[in-house]
Amino acid sequence: MDILDSQLSDYLSSTCDKEPSLLENIDRDTHLKETMPHMLSGHYQGRLLSMISHLISPQKILEIGTFTGYATICLAEGLTEQGVLHTIDINEELEERVQAYFNASGFGHKIKYHVGEATNIIPSLSETFDLVFIDADKKNNLRYYELVIDKVRSGGLILIDNVLWKGKIVSEHPDKQTEQILALNDFIAQDKRVQKLILPVRDGIFLIRKR
């Protein structure tokens, strides 16, 4: 990120709502304890996720890729009184710490934390979801999309993170991982079941509405 990008990012964060203190702590802990802290959504994107969740007041949310739980809590902020959020992550080493964050957030009773392979867990969920956030291993994003599309209600939303892939999606010679992102983007662009557009927020969020 160059200086201008950094200044712009700081400005955007300064003009949105302040992140709750727990989320500040999660951000700090993640940068201190994790080798890839950039995977965390962060202040500005977190407030976007919270805003979208509040706008649709979801009863059921599915998140694929929990990491340290920052985005999970942001999404949970917009749940209805009886709402439930299912979040899935494969990293069992983070489970105890992340569950403690959930318990401290006030949303712990609304969050069902699944640890394991998302491709195995998603088919076992019988709910119909109002909102899905996909932010896990990128090579499986298209598979996740295909697994969740029939579990989303008409008018429901799917959000997919990192679809601009640091600008590599416009490279003349994309690497294998970039090709996987392009395959996902191209598939969704042609999918008549949904309305869609990419928001150029951080590394790109595909905003998808099921018809």
Side-chain angles (χ1 to χ4, degrees):
M1 177 181 288
D2 61 29
I3 293 175
L4 180 58
D5 286 341
S6 178
Q7 290 175 336
L8 183 58
S9 177
D10 290 344
Y11 178 77
L12 291 171
S13 294
S14 75
T15 58
C16 66
D17 289 338
K18 181 177 172 59
E19 60 186 339
S21 59
L22 174 62
L23 294 181
E24 288 183 321
N25 292 338
I26 294 173
D27 190 316
R28 181 168 56 251
D29 286 352
T30 301
H31 280 82
L32 286 172
K33 299 175 181 178
E34 300 304 319
T35 57
M36 293 188 288
H38 63 277
M39 290 169 53
L40 180 138
S41 287
H43 182 184
Y44 183 75
Q45 181 170 313
R47 290 305 88 201
L48 173 64
L49 296 175
S50 177
M51 176 74 79
I52 291 173
S53 186
H54 276 100
L55 285 170
I56 67 172
S57 296
Q59 178 75 19
K60 302 287 185 181
I61 299 175
L62 173 61
E63 178 188 40
I64 304 169
T66 314
F67 191 37
T68 54
Y70 188 103
T72 318
I73 294 170
C74 294
L75 292 166
E77 291 174 1
L79 280 168
T80 62
E81 187 65 28
Q82 303 300 320
V84 175
L85 186 157
H86 291 267
T87 186
I88 305 170
D89 200 275
I90 198 169
N91 190 349
E92 60 184 22
E93 293 182 3
L94 289 173
E95 183 176 4
E96 184 176 351
R97 174 152 55 99
V98 172
Q99 187 61 59
Y101 293 147
F102 293 160
N103 294 342
S105 72
F107 301 112
H109 63 293
K110 296 184 176 184
I111 298 172
K112 296 187 181 299
Y113 187 15
H114 306 266
V115 178
E117 290 279 356
T119 51
N120 295 329
I121 294 170
I122 295 168
S124 74
L125 302 175
S126 59
E127 287 92 340
T128 297
F129 294 99
D130 306 293
L131 175 60
V132 175
F133 181 45
I134 301 174
D135 186 17
D137 54 314
K138 309 311 169 187
K139 67 180 181 296
N140 281 316
N141 274 356
L142 182 53
R143 177 64 174 149
Y144 298 145
Y145 177 78
E146 292 176 319
L147 284 171
V148 303
I149 186 68
D150 290 335
K151 293 180 177 289
V152 177
R153 67 167 173 84
S154 177
L157 301 180
I158 301 173
L159 309 175
I160 306 178
D161 203 8
N162 304 113
V163 294
L164 294 182
W165 206 233
K166 300 177 182 178
K168 294 180 182 179
I169 44 90
V170 293
S171 171
E172 291 185 6
H173 305 287
D175 56 30
K176 183 175 181 179
Q177 199 162 27
T178 305
E179 288 177 346
Q180 292 168 339
I181 302 291
L182 286 167
L184 169 77
N185 293 350
D186 291 346
F187 182 87
I188 295 171
Q190 302 302 318
D191 192 347
K192 303 301 183 184
R193 297 170 295 178
V194 296
Q195 297 172 277
K196 59 276 183 179
L197 57 82
I198 292 176
L199 302 176
V201 174
R202 291 188 70 204
D203 200 23
I205 297 178
F206 226 136
L207 174 61
I208 302 157
R209 177 184 180 273
K210 186 174 177 181
R211 296 184 187 275

